[in-house]
Amino acid sequence: MVVGGGVIGLSCAYFLARSGCEVTVLEERVMESPNCSTGNAGMVVPSHFIPLATPGVIGQGLRWMLKPESPFSIRPSAKLALWRWAWQFYRACSPSRVKAAKPILRDLSLASRTLFERLAEEEGLEFQLVQRGLLALCKKEETLRHESTVVDQGRVLGIDAEVLDSKAVNVLDPGVTMDVAGAVYFRQDCHLNPAAFRLELIRRLEEMGGKVHWESKVTGVEHAQGRVHSVSTADGNAWHADGFIMAGGVWTTTLGEQLGVSLPMQGGKGYSMTLTSPRQLPEICSLLMEARVAVTPMGGKLRIGGTMEIGGKEGVINEAKVRGITKSVPNYFPEFQASDFEGQETWTGLRPCTPDGLPYLGRCPGLANTFIAAGHAMLGLSLSPISGWLICQMVNGETPDVDVSLLDPGRY
Ligand SMILES: Cc1cc2nc3c(=O)[nH]c(=O)nc-3n(C[C@H](O)[C@H](O)[C@H](O)COP(=O)(O)OP(=O)(O)OC[C@H]3O[C@@H](n4cnc5c(N)ncnc54)[C@H](O)[C@@H]3O)c2cc1C
């Protein structure tokens, strides 16, 4: 029984069904309803081997908070959970914890990338996977200098990255004009259509006999003697199973309360907009480094996305943040205008952000038949196949291919 029909829950369901398990997914929303897994930037990013919680990020965040259009903010709240999370985040920003997190993020990302390739090439899932790398575009020389230090760190970990000057960047992707000082080219990164990927997981899951029950919000968990016996849904039904996976994105914190495990998370709200007829269409996805905006070609369309509003509410649109995203695009792509995005529908999603930037992946403490798969923050799409695969291995009593000890759901 998988609770949550986002990309993480569906990936768990997919691999479990493929391994021969009888799988049911319970999802609160209807199938067509967006969640964080549908409108994101669609990037698969081995380049993101540095966790969100890093030394220096708090100072930068505080400076950004003074500017309404900046890419980061914390929604002021009197809630104790937010302030506790902020303290845990601060504690995680130490050099030793970041050093420990990097290899696991690298291992998860590279393994996940391989699985995406297999899903597309060997298992026939169609989700527009493009393996052309990612450009971290730097408007300023100073940013490019800083990013080259990331290249050095990446190379130590086996990440394929190269610094390019402005001319080389434009030669690499001639379909779009870029006005930048240069870029870091991460060759192993890729991009895809996240909504298509989610639909393909559902299609294949159902072909394998799995079931997804929409409009089924889990409101209660019944557990005794170290096992969960059933979950109940808002419509009054009780659902029994041999094993349970809790994969409800940022809302897994609430499920954790019922399981007796503390899974601190805050929603990191972001926005995206998709141009159906963009003025130019890059072939390579990019990050606008100073603006923290992601730009992804998807079929003939172009998606831009960004902003991290900690504690943000889903669906509520902060126009200043959206302006900050749209205004940044012409700075890097001079053929575009901010007005290109006027009248475009704005999607919002809540990234499930743990305090230390690492997901919760593994057995729920004290409950032999229950597993947690949540908290992937800005990497949920990227890490979805490997998360599903590792959960499948753990459920089936196998040793996971990647050491998941740092991802222990009991760590808080
Ligand atoms: C602007 C933006 C850009 C992003 N770009 C990228 C990117 O390029 N690459 C990348 O890797 N990641 C990206 N992300 C992050 C990624 O989208 C998330 O990490 C990922 O979607 C999280 O997936 P999830 O399945 O954990 O959560 P969700 O997608 O939120 O799914 C959780 C589901 O669980 C359901 N649920 C919750 N509680 C219950 C319950 N009690 N009962 C039943 N159902 C329940 C919810 O309704 C929801 O559908 C981006 C995010 C944003 C906001």
Side-chain angles (χ1 to χ4, degrees), residues 93-349:
C93 287
S94 76
S96 61
R97 292 192 49 188
V98 173
K99 191 174 171 205
K102 283 182 198 170
I104 173 95
L105 286 176
R106 182 250 347 246
D107 291 348
L108 291 170
S109 287
L110 291 177
S112 215
R113 185 195 189 284
T114 305
L115 286 173
F116 272 119
E117 267 175 4
R118 285 200 197 138
L119 289 170
E121 287 161 21
E122 294 167 24
E123 302 190 26
L125 275 70
E126 289 178 18
F127 48 90
Q128 300 166 11
L129 180 67
V130 178
Q131 300 177 69
R132 286 285 320 265
L134 173 147
L135 284 166
L137 297 175
C138 303
K139 185 77 191 162
K140 298 181 192 159
E141 290 289 350
E142 184 193 343
T143 318
L144 191 59
R145 270 196 301 278
H146 170 76
E147 288 308 311
S148 26
T149 63
V150 178
V151 171
D152 297 338
Q153 294 177 49
R155 283 194 183 142
V156 172
L157 290 165
I159 299 295
D160 185 349
E162 187 188 349
V163 179
L164 302 179
D165 63 16
S166 171
K167 195 169 162 220
V169 171
N170 279 286
V171 168
L172 193 65
D173 199 347
V176 63
T177 315
M178 291 175 269
D179 179 12
V180 292
V184 175
Y185 182 37
F186 292 98
R187 283 195 188 80
Q188 291 150 314
D189 288 17
C190 354
H191 66 267
L192 54 87
N193 182 328
F197 182 58
R198 176 174 168 272
L199 288 177
E200 281 291 270
L201 287 175
I202 296 168
R203 180 182 68 79
R204 286 290 294 125
L205 173 67
E206 290 179 338
E207 278 174 12
M208 290 186 283
K211 291 196 172 55
V212 186
H213 292 274
W214 306 102
E215 296 184 273
S216 300
K217 178 177 180 169
V218 170
T219 49
V221 180
E222 197 231 328
H223 59 94
Q225 288 154 347
R227 292 180 76 78
V228 171
H229 298 283
S230 65
V231 293
S232 49
T233 40
D235 54 12
N237 284 324
W239 302 78
H240 296 263
D242 301 323
F244 293 83
I245 322 294
M246 303 298 174
V250 70
W251 300 277
T252 313
T253 302
T254 313
L255 293 164
E257 284 162 15
Q258 307 207 31
L259 298 164
V261 57
S262 168
L263 301 170
M265 273 186 273
Q266 287 293 320
K269 187 161 75 167
Y271 303 92
S272 78
M273 281 140 283
T274 307
L275 290 178
T276 42
S277 309
R279 290 169 187 268
Q280 294 181 321
L281 193 62
E283 282 185 16
I284 301 175
C285 62
S286 57
L287 290 174
L288 315 183
M289 291 311 287
E290 291 86 353
R292 299 289 196 275
V293 166
V295 180
T296 314
M298 279 182 201
K301 300 178 185 172
L302 189 68
R303 177 166 297 170
I304 60 163
T307 293
M308 176 71 97
E309 275 178 272
I310 296 293
K313 287 216 165 83
E314 204 184 23
V316 180
I317 293 174
N318 178 336
E319 293 298 345
K321 296 291 177 203
V322 176
R323 255 195 327 274
I325 297 173
T326 55
K327 274 166 67 175
S328 70
V329 175
N331 288 339
Y332 297 76
F333 300 106
E335 295 298 316
F336 284 77
Q337 293 172 10
S339 59
D340 293 352
F341 301 93
E342 277 168 17
Q344 295 294 327
E345 198 182 330
T346 304
W347 166 90
T348 67

Side-chain angles (χ1 to χ4, degrees), residues 8 27-29 35-37 40-41 43 218 377-378 380-382:
I8 297 296
E27 165 56 51
E28 175 180 352
R29 306 174 192 218
N35 57 18
C36 196
S37 301
N40 63 55
M43 296 176 176
V218 170
M378 41 217 278
L381 172 75
S382 254

